[in-house]
Amino acid sequence: MKNLFFSILATLGLCSGCTAQDGVKVLSPGDFIAAAEADSAAVILDVRQPDEFAAGHLADAINLDWLNPSKFSEGMALLDKNRTYYIYCRSGRRSNAAASKMKSEGFRVFDMKGGYLQWTGEGRPVVR
């Protein structure tokens, strides 16, 4: 019984760090686009690879490949920290990592839950 109690406490301790430890707010696709459209300083940032971007992306998005660290760093250095970045990728993993990195560098960022897959799964429009 004592071991079970300590196992539960350990699990709770590990999981408490899993939610929003980076402080990046994750928005549903609907909230993501509504916030971006209402934000005069918004930049929609697609952090997928260029071939993924070319196959389809959100309107007015700019591409900055998270999987190419040197290109991402070079591109991030050119971004205006006075703007707000609405970031997405294919499923949410890369965008959350990119958003965390950008937030640590002083950018205002939001991440889109479920990424491009959830966006298209909801029948939302894309540019090809």
Side-chain angles (χ1 to χ4, degrees):
M1 185 69 168
K2 188 176 182 179
N3 287 339
L4 177 63
F5 176 74
F6 286 118
S7 293
I8 292 171
L9 281 178
T11 301
L12 290 174
L14 289 173
C15 289
S16 68
C18 297
T19 57
Q21 78 263 21
D22 54 16
V24 173
K25 186 161 184 172
V26 180
L27 304 174
S28 70
D31 291 342
F32 179 91
I33 198 62
E37 289 174 347
D39 184 345
S40 62
V43 175
I44 298 175
L45 186 62
D46 182 322
V47 296
R48 298 176 300 155
Q49 294 180 305
D51 60 325
E52 293 174 289
F53 183 81
H57 57 272
L58 277 64
D60 301 320
I62 60 171
N63 185 226
L64 192 54
D65 183 2
W66 171 251
L67 295 179
N68 186 330
S70 61
K71 290 278 188 190
F72 189 84
S73 292
E74 289 168 13
M76 192 172 67
L78 300 173
L79 298 177
D80 181 354
K81 289 186 179 178
N82 293 314
R83 314 260 335 243
T84 307
Y85 294 88
Y86 294 82
I87 307 170
Y88 74 95
C89 65
R90 180 179 171 273
S91 65
R93 187 177 193 144
R94 286 176 277 179
S95 60
N96 193 263
S100 295
K101 170 70 174 165
M102 290 178 69
K103 183 171 177 127
S104 75
E105 298 287 329
F107 289 90
R108 283 189 315 264
V109 296
F110 292 95
D111 186 17
M112 183 169 67
K113 181 181 180 187
Y116 187 80
L117 290 176
Q118 186 164 336
W119 179 271
T120 57
E122 293 179 4
R124 296 180 181 276
V126 296
V127 175
R128 288 189 167 83

